[in-house]
Amino acid sequence: MDSNTSYNFPEILSSFDLEGSVAEIKPFGSGHINSTFYLKNAIEDRPDYLLQRINHYVFKDVAALSNNIKLVTDHLRKKISLQGNADPQREVLNMLPAKTGLYYHQDEQGNYWRIYHYLKGTKSYDLLETAQQAYEGGKAFGRFQALLADMDSSLLAETIPNFHNIEYRLDNFDKALENDPLSRSKECLPEIDFIKARTQTMCTILNLGRQGKLPLRITHNDTKFNNVLLDQNDKAQCVIDLDTVMPGYTAYDFGDAIRTIINTAEEDEKDLSKIGLNVDLFKAYTRGYLSETINFLSSEEFKALIYGALLLPYMQAVRFLTDHLDGDNYFKIHFPGHNLQRARAQLQLLKNLEENRELLESLIYEIADDLRASKERGPNT
Ligand code: ADP
Ligand code: GN1
Ligand code: MG
């Protein structure tokens, strides 16, 4: 699907007004849903681009999705331009209109495409290496939420309905177990039991939201660490992958970022003994995140952060295992059984998080106290 030969690139590229000319097209990134290609410009001082095929099996309304991204990036650009030494060209994704004026192009095969300006000199990490990177990631996602706090969330379409609704995910899991089209459930009985034992507790955030205790805000909803671009000095530059930006709870974004930051191994690690918790990176991310959000998070939202950190690996495991049972229709897999391996890794991560829950929760409180105290002391102390 992703090889350079299966798409009519000349036709796709000719539907956009690109500066210069494209010298090279290279598959890029490690996303599970869309397909990304780097377009190198033949002319040195002209921009490079990033071409993406939008997976319209997953994102059913590409027009609404593109409209969301346009609204969100316009809002971010406006807010960032008002800040002293910030540069919206570097810090916000810039999506190009096609010649039709729409922000996507549909090719003859029915595929949807969009193009962003490629942000030169940036890096994204599947596995991060230093506390500074974690801190910067926390600041980037925290700032993202803060900048969007005054945007009217009713303007945004729900690009994937019930995306982080754990009851809905568990319903789908039950349906997959019932149908079991490939008779795969028998190879994952311990994982099924582990998931079933936690169905009630994992609805905590959803229930708090239903009781009106958590505000719906505009959240990113895919805060994997590789969705923030860092610059050459490992400073946060730009939050990317905006397909799932829609109303959500802040704890979901915190939890999904922690899922990828605290894990000492890859998301799909086969050797479960390699999956551990890097508490220093957890502390650094939390400090960065709270430094941007502590002023607006309600006390209930703040208390819910730890539930988010437990929920997101759980929800991810449920989603991976559901897809495995269904026959791997949703997430791209690289070998048979990949989704099962991913689910097992996420459940192992959850076990580790549960065992260390008190420690992690107390660290969130300590970091918040420390930030509040330093704010009271003022900038010169
Ligand atoms: P996916 O949905 O497949 O995760 P992303 O939008 O996250 O797609 O893009 C995949 C990868 O491409 C990112 O992890 C990042 O490394 C890189 N990337 C995305 N957008 C840009 C950009 N505008 N400039 C530079 N690199 C980018
Ligand atoms: C998918 O597209 P990508 O790889 O950034 C998925 C996320 C999951 C993630 C798990 C639209 O994100 O929800 O958390 O895989 N995106 C969608 O790695 O389902
Ligand atoms: Mg991504």
Side-chain angles (χ1 to χ4, degrees):
M1 272 299 256
D2 292 344
S3 83
N4 285 10
T5 49
S6 52
Y7 301 119
N8 184 352
F9 284 116
E11 187 271 332
I12 297 161
L13 298 185
S14 71
S15 64
F16 292 85
D17 264 324
L18 302 181
E19 291 181 50
S21 65
V22 173
E24 196 191 341
I25 303 178
K26 231 175 36 185
F28 208 66
S30 56
H32 301 338
I33 308 292
N34 293 328
S35 301
T36 302
F37 301 89
Y38 167 68
L39 307 181
K40 184 164 177 44
N41 213 311
I43 305 173
E44 188 80 36
D45 62 350
R46 295 297 132 124
D48 293 340
Y49 296 101
L50 203 93
L51 171 70
Q52 286 187 317
R53 183 178 68 87
I54 304 163
N55 180 333
H56 64 280
Y57 168 81
V58 167
F59 297 104
K60 309 230 182 283
D61 188 345
V62 174
L65 164 77
S66 308
N67 190 48
N68 274 9
I69 297 182
K70 180 77 178 98
L71 289 170
V72 165
T73 50
D74 281 352
H75 185 90
L76 292 171
R77 234 185 310 282
K78 215 186 305 163
K79 296 283 291 278
I80 288 177
S81 336
L82 298 172
Q83 297 180 346
N85 46 12
D87 177 358
Q89 290 306 329
R90 290 180 76 244
E91 296 171 32
V92 185
L93 277 180
N94 190 0
M95 186 168 61
L96 261 64
K99 286 177 180 164
T100 55
L102 300 173
Y103 281 86
Y104 57 89
H105 166 70
Q106 191 173 20
D107 70 15
E108 304 131 338
Q109 298 160 281
N111 296 307
Y112 289 87
W113 298 89
R114 71 170 162 235
I115 294 190
Y116 290 116
H117 272 270
Y118 180 80
L119 292 161
K120 282 192 181 163
T122 56
K123 292 174 284 187
S124 71
Y125 294 86
D126 287 344
L127 263 191
L128 64 172
E129 291 149 10
T130 67
Q132 153 146 359
Q133 292 164 353
Y135 175 77
E136 288 290 322
K139 273 189 87 80
F141 284 125
R143 181 176 180 233
F144 184 84
Q145 282 181 351
L147 289 169
L148 293 173
D150 63 343
M151 183 174 169
D152 177 1
S153 65
S154 71
L155 295 173
L156 297 184
E158 220 181 337
T159 53
I160 303 181
N162 292 313
F163 191 57
H164 279 155
N165 178 337
I166 189 60
E167 274 181 9
Y168 168 80
R169 296 296 182 187
L170 286 167
D171 277 355
N172 284 347
F173 178 58
D174 283 341
K175 282 184 199 137
L177 278 176
E178 222 172 275
N179 298 334
D180 203 7
L182 302 167
S183 305
R184 286 178 167 177
S185 66
K186 57 182 183 297
E187 0 157 310
C188 31
L189 298 178
E191 289 77 17
I192 295 168
D193 285 348
F194 189 92
I195 288 172
K196 291 281 184 192
R198 287 158 178 77
T199 52
Q200 293 299 316
T201 48
M202 289 295 171
C203 289
T204 305
I205 296 179
L206 198 60
N207 290 333
L208 287 170
R210 285 185 178 141
Q211 292 157 16
K213 293 187 179 154
L214 294 176
L216 266 182
R217 300 187 189 273
I218 296 177
T219 47
H220 184 284
N221 299 308
D222 189 6
T223 49
K224 285 207 274 208
F225 193 72
N226 67 13
N227 283 332
V228 55
L229 296 178
L230 302 183
D231 71 12
Q232 300 288 21
N233 302 314
D234 271 346
K235 292 275 180 205
Q237 181 171 327
C238 182
V239 169
I240 59 168
D241 208 343
L242 305 179
D243 296 313
T244 50
V245 176
M246 55 186 159
Y249 300 118
T250 44
Y252 293 156
D253 276 3
F254 180 76
D256 211 16
I258 295 306
R259 182 178 76 79
T260 55
I261 281 150
I262 202 168
N263 192 349
T264 51
E266 301 274 359
E267 184 181 63
D268 61 350
E269 178 58 56
K270 187 174 190 315
D271 177 355
L272 299 185
S273 70
K274 290 192 180 151
I275 297 173
L277 302 187
N278 190 328
V279 174
D280 285 339
L281 296 186
F282 172 83
K283 287 199 287 193
Y285 183 88
T286 303
R287 181 171 289 277
Y289 174 74
L290 288 177
S291 70
E292 296 287 335
T293 56
I294 202 161
N295 288 340
F296 72 83
L297 289 183
S298 71
S299 64
E300 291 289 344
E301 278 181 295
F302 179 75
K303 272 194 259 167
L305 295 178
I306 189 68
Y307 301 130
L310 298 170
L311 173 64
L312 269 290
Y314 176 81
M315 179 142 37
Q316 205 51 71
V318 171
R319 294 175 62 197
F320 284 145
L321 198 53
T322 304
D323 200 30
H324 174 70
L325 295 169
D326 278 343
D328 307 301
N329 303 313
Y330 187 94
F331 295 105
K332 286 182 202 161
I333 55 165
H334 303 301
F335 52 86
H338 198 175
N339 274 319
L340 175 57
Q341 184 172 309
R342 286 169 172 153
R344 287 186 170 141
Q346 293 300 299
L347 293 177
Q348 179 61 43
L349 175 64
L350 173 59
K351 263 185 218 161
N352 295 356
L353 289 165
E354 285 179 345
E355 283 162 15
N356 289 279
R357 180 206 163 122
E358 280 177 21
L359 166 71
L360 300 175
E361 194 167 13
S362 65
L363 287 170
I364 297 176
Y365 279 84
E366 262 171 45
I367 291 165
D369 287 346
D370 191 45
L371 285 168
R372 286 195 195 98
S374 55
K375 274 196 178 134
E376 272 167 30
R377 283 196 303 270
N380 300 323
T381 50

